[in-house]
Structure formats: structure tokens, C-alpha cells
Amino acid sequence: MPADSTVSESASLRSLIAPLIAIIVGLFMVILDSTAVNVAIPVLAEDFHSSLTLIQWTITGYALAQASVIPIAGWMSDRFGAKQVFIVSIILFVSSSILCSFAGSAEMLIFFRILQGLGGGMVTPIAFAMIYRISPAESVGRIMGIMGVPVLLAPALGPIVSGYLVDYVSWRWLFLINIPVGIVGVILSILLLPNLPKKALAPLDSLGIILAPLAFGGLSYGLSEGGEGWTTVKTITGLTVGAVALILFVIVELRNKKEPLLELRVFRSRQFTLGILVQWVLQLALFGMIFAVPYFMQRLMGMSAFEAGFWSLPQAIASGIMMPFSGRLFDRVGARPLVVGGLILITAGAYMFSMIDPSDSSWTFLLPRILLGLGSGMSFIALNTHLIQSAPKELVGRVTSLTSAAQQVVSSFAIAGLTTFLVNRTNHYASNGEAPVPLAMTHAFHNTYQLLAIIAVAGLLLAITLKRPDAKNAGLTPDEANKAPMIVME
């Protein structure tokens, strides 16, 4: 590279430091909060005298709220300006955090978490969209490497920070801590973010906006109520409303040729469909374990919230170490070997969890945690790039919105479904004469981990069918794919 070109690129990067700092502060806060509440679930259930079936909606409702606004983030940016929407989203997130900290019941906390999710859901897609608009083309890869730090670090620190606050301060500080961070983020955004020009305004898919939350919320509600019985009025109503709304949503989106809420036509690509199914299975298995393992540690092993949160660190470190190697290997071997290898490690980790008893040492979690981290790190970059390359070229710009929203929905299904499974299996063992705690619940957790291992095996079988996209049909070249918006797996 010529010397003058290197100097020009360095100067360009220096000019982006200030807006990048503003974006990272807001992004870090939201992603940190996405994993922080998991560790607090046992404490919240105890403080509010609530069942696990109800209190899990503090996570499920948050994820569904995020999913509902991710697809309209682009439209909002075009209508009101990216900087303005980013700032308002942070303000809504912080305001809702304050309300969460003063919640007097589980129902109030769930409602305020939904409001928090509406704000947080906008932050991530708009943050990455702004980065791509302000970054010079030749520096996008380097800048995205910088942005990968908060994306990886925040989910790792979330359970640790949460555990410390829950044990030594109060669970309410899980939300109050967002106030100073949010204030700094807003001030920096006002001062440092450029006013990007608004784009031509596309029509808003208002019918899709109504049907999507009905579909995914109804199905999640039905799944969670299944713990009380699959033939109850609540369960049948939730599943029926969700299924009907989902069918209508798919019909509406496929008929909307101009600006659908979610671009479902990408599923015409067989390799894209296979890839996103594998990604959903991966998300289901990983998020299920992120939810279940800390609860097992606290409820049955007597660990503190901080201890349970701390044991998420080996998984995060292993994932962070593996990701760069996976990115380099992808160009040589493609997605299939990396995703298959990753899912083998995840399956092994999930199965090892199923053999841990409450009387075992906490160190027995080290190896399966590392396996999960290595497996997710190996699979993440490969699946991300495969999806972008497999999408029809004219639809590539809509891939990130679809996959990000779908991941939040799958996360909500994971929590709702696994909670129901855990409750049903506990009741099953208790009805056979076992003490509900710890024996029946221990066996129920073992069954839950075994189920997650089976789910990972299903993903493994799908991953074997992945192929490199044909050069003629690939959405992007490998170089272009590396510059495409990141698909964030939280």
C-alpha cells in the first residue's frame, strides 16, 4: 500500500474515534443488559414470590419486544434520522430501566422490561448501520473488528456484573446502573455523532407490525402456559392466536413486494434456509443453556449469583479465542466443517452438563463451559458469512434485520419452552415419589440438558448439508461479505 494511502487511512480512522466511542457506550449498555437478568432469575422469583413460569417473562418479554422493533429500525432512521432515533432509543432504554428498578411485582417488572426491550431493540441495528454509513470502504473491516469487542465482552460481563449486584447490593441496581451509562451515552451521542442525511422514505408495513408481535408473543405465551397443562384454555388460546397470526403474517409479507417488514423471499435460497435453520438451532441450544445452567447452580447447588455468573467467563473467553481462527479458516474450508465441528463441541458440552449432580464441585462446569464457548466461536462467523453469501444479491441488505429479529424470537421460544419442559419433568418425577427439591428437579434439569444436546445433534445433521454458494448465485463475494452488517448473536 502506498505511503500516502496509509496516512490517509490513518487520518480517516482517527476522525471516527469520537463517534465510535459514542456508539460503543450505547451498544455496550444494551448488550450487557441482555444477559444480566439471567443470573437474577432465582432471586427475582423469591422476592416477588413468583413461579419460574411467570418470572421467565422478564427475559422472554424483553426478547420479543426487541424482535418487534428491529425490523422497523431502518424505516425509523430514514424517517427521523439515525442519530435522533439512536438517542431517543437510549433515553427510552434508560427510562424503562428506572421503572424496572422500582417494580413492585413480577407483572410490573415484566411490563417495564418490555418497554426496555423496545428501546434496546433499536440500538444495535442502528448502531451498525451508522458505522457503515460513516466508515470509509477500505476501513470497514478494521472498524468492525473494533466493534466486535463490545459485542463479545458485554455478554461475558453481564452475568458477572449482575451476580455481584444481586449478591452485594440489590437486584434493582441491575437497572439503576444503566442511568449513569445512559446519560454519558446520550451526551456523547449529541456531541459526537454526525447528522446523517435522511433517505427516501419507504412505506411502513403497518399490518406486519401488528401481526408479528401477535404471532410470536402468542406462541411464546402458549409454550410457557404448557407447564400448567397443554389442554388449558390459556395454552390453547395462546398457541391458536399465535399460529393464526403467524400464517397471516407470512401471507402478508410474501404479498408485500415493495417494503415488507421481514424479507421472507430470501428463503427461496435453499442454502440460506438451511443456514438459518442451523442458526436457530444453535441459538436455541446456547440460549437454553445460558438460562438453565445459572438457575441450576443457584437453586440446587447453593451457589451465589456472583459465583454462577463468574462461571460464564470461561465460555466467553473460549468463544473470543476461537472466533478469529474461525474467520480465517472460513475462506479456506467454507461453513460446513466449522459449523459441524462447533455443533459437535456444543453437543458434548450439553451432554456433560446432564451428568453433573448438585453435590459435585463447581469445577465440573469448567470443561463443558469451554466446549460451549469453542463451539459457538467456531460456528458464529461461519454461519454469519454463509447466510450473507447465500442470500439473493438483491435481498442481501435485508438479511441482518431478518436474522437479528428471528434470533430474539428463537431466544424467547427457548426460555418459554425449556421452562415448561423443566416444570413438567419436575412434576413427573415428584408424582413418582421423589422429593421435588433437590431430587425431582435435578433429574428434570438432566433431562433438559439432554434435550438441548438432542437439539444440537439435529442442528449438526442439518449442518452436514451446507454447501458453498455458487459463484453465480452468491449474495456477496467473501470480501463483500466481510464488510456486510454483523449478525449479532446475544
Side-chain angles (χ1 to χ4, degrees), residues 169-188:
V169 190
S170 165
W171 65 260
R172 299 182 187 276
W173 275 91
L174 294 177
F175 307 105
L176 290 173
I177 197 173
N178 291 328
I179 299 175
V181 179
I183 291 173
V184 171
V186 169
I187 293 173
L188 290 177

Side-chain angles (χ1 to χ4, degrees), residues 334-409:
R336 181 167 58 187
L338 295 171
V339 178
V340 168
L343 281 165
I344 289 173
L345 294 174
I346 290 169
T347 301
Y351 184 73
M352 289 180 70
F353 279 133
S354 71
M355 296 187 291
I356 298 176
D357 289 322
S359 58
D360 291 338
S361 165
S362 58
W363 284 95
T364 55
F365 288 95
L366 180 62
L367 181 56
R369 279 286 197 181
I370 290 175
L371 291 177
L372 291 184
L374 293 174
S376 60
M378 185 182 293
S379 307
F380 171 73
I381 295 294
L383 270 177
N384 181 38
T385 311
H386 176 83
L387 288 174
I388 294 169
Q389 289 184 351
S390 300
K393 193 160 189 175
E394 69 276 11
L395 302 178
V396 165
R398 308 299 300 274
V399 167
T400 303
S401 177
L402 170 65
T403 52
S404 297
Q407 283 174 15
Q408 295 299 328
V409 172

Side-chain angles (χ1 to χ4, degrees), residues 138-397:
E138 68 274 7
S139 304
V140 170
R142 186 180 302 183
I143 292 169
M144 286 310 301
I146 297 172
M147 294 307 299
V149 174
V151 171
L152 285 173
L153 191 58
L157 291 179
I160 299 173
V161 173
S162 169
Y164 178 83
L165 293 174
V166 168
D167 282 345
Y168 301 109
V169 190
S170 165
W171 65 260
R172 299 182 187 276
W173 275 91
L174 294 177
F175 307 105
L176 290 173
I177 197 173
N178 291 328
I179 299 175
V181 179
I183 291 173
V184 171
V186 169
I187 293 173
L188 290 177
S189 297
I190 292 172
L191 297 176
L192 303 178
L193 290 183
N195 285 301
L196 300 174
K198 300 176 185 178
K199 297 181 179 179
L201 192 62
L204 182 63
D205 182 6
S206 54
L207 193 54
I209 290 174
I210 295 171
L211 289 172
L214 273 177
F216 304 132
L219 290 172
S220 291
Y221 179 75
L223 283 173
S224 66
E225 288 298 321
E228 303 299 324
W230 292 107
T231 58
T232 65
V233 174
K234 290 181 179 180
T235 301
I236 294 173
T237 301
L239 293 176
T240 302
V241 170
V244 171
L246 180 60
I247 293 169
L248 292 175
F249 175 73
V250 171
I251 294 172
V252 167
E253 296 307 288
L254 290 176
R255 287 184 174 179
N256 188 338
K257 305 295 184 183
K258 292 183 178 180
E259 202 67 30
L261 186 68
L262 293 177
E263 185 52 85
L264 302 182
R265 288 179 294 166
V266 293
F267 287 100
R268 292 174 182 170
S269 165
R270 183 174 181 274
Q271 283 303 309
F272 178 88
T273 302
L274 286 171
I276 200 168
L277 286 174
V278 174
Q279 190 181 68
W280 291 348
V281 169
L282 181 64
Q283 182 82 354
L284 186 64
L286 285 174
F287 207 83
M289 282 179 277
I290 288 173
F291 171 76
V293 173
Y295 191 83
F296 178 87
M297 288 175 158
Q298 294 174 76
R299 188 75 173 83
L300 295 178
M301 298 184 75
M303 289 190 193
S304 67
F306 180 70
E307 286 178 297
F310 181 81
W311 278 105
S312 67
L313 193 58
Q315 181 175 334
I317 293 173
S319 179
I321 291 172
M322 179 56 70
M323 272 192 185
F325 292 105
S326 174
R328 293 193 199 99
L329 286 172
F330 179 86
D331 290 336
R332 298 181 184 177
V333 301
R336 181 167 58 187
L338 295 171
V339 178
V340 168
L343 281 165
I344 289 173
L345 294 174
I346 290 169
T347 301
Y351 184 73
M352 289 180 70
F353 279 133
S354 71
M355 296 187 291
I356 298 176
D357 289 322
S359 58
D360 291 338
S361 165
S362 58
W363 284 95
T364 55
F365 288 95
L366 180 62
L367 181 56
R369 279 286 197 181
I370 290 175
L371 291 177
L372 291 184
L374 293 174
S376 60
M378 185 182 293
S379 307
F380 171 73
I381 295 294
L383 270 177
N384 181 38
T385 311
H386 176 83
L387 288 174
I388 294 169
Q389 289 184 351
S390 300
K393 193 160 189 175
E394 69 276 11
L395 302 178
V396 165

Side-chain angles (χ1 to χ4, degrees), residues 45-69:
E46 183 178 346
D47 277 12
F48 289 130
H49 307 289
S50 170
S51 66
L52 178 62
T53 302
L54 177 62
I55 206 67
Q56 58 88 15
W57 275 93
T58 57
I59 302 173
T60 303
Y62 179 82
L64 287 174
Q66 285 192 314
S68 68
V69 297

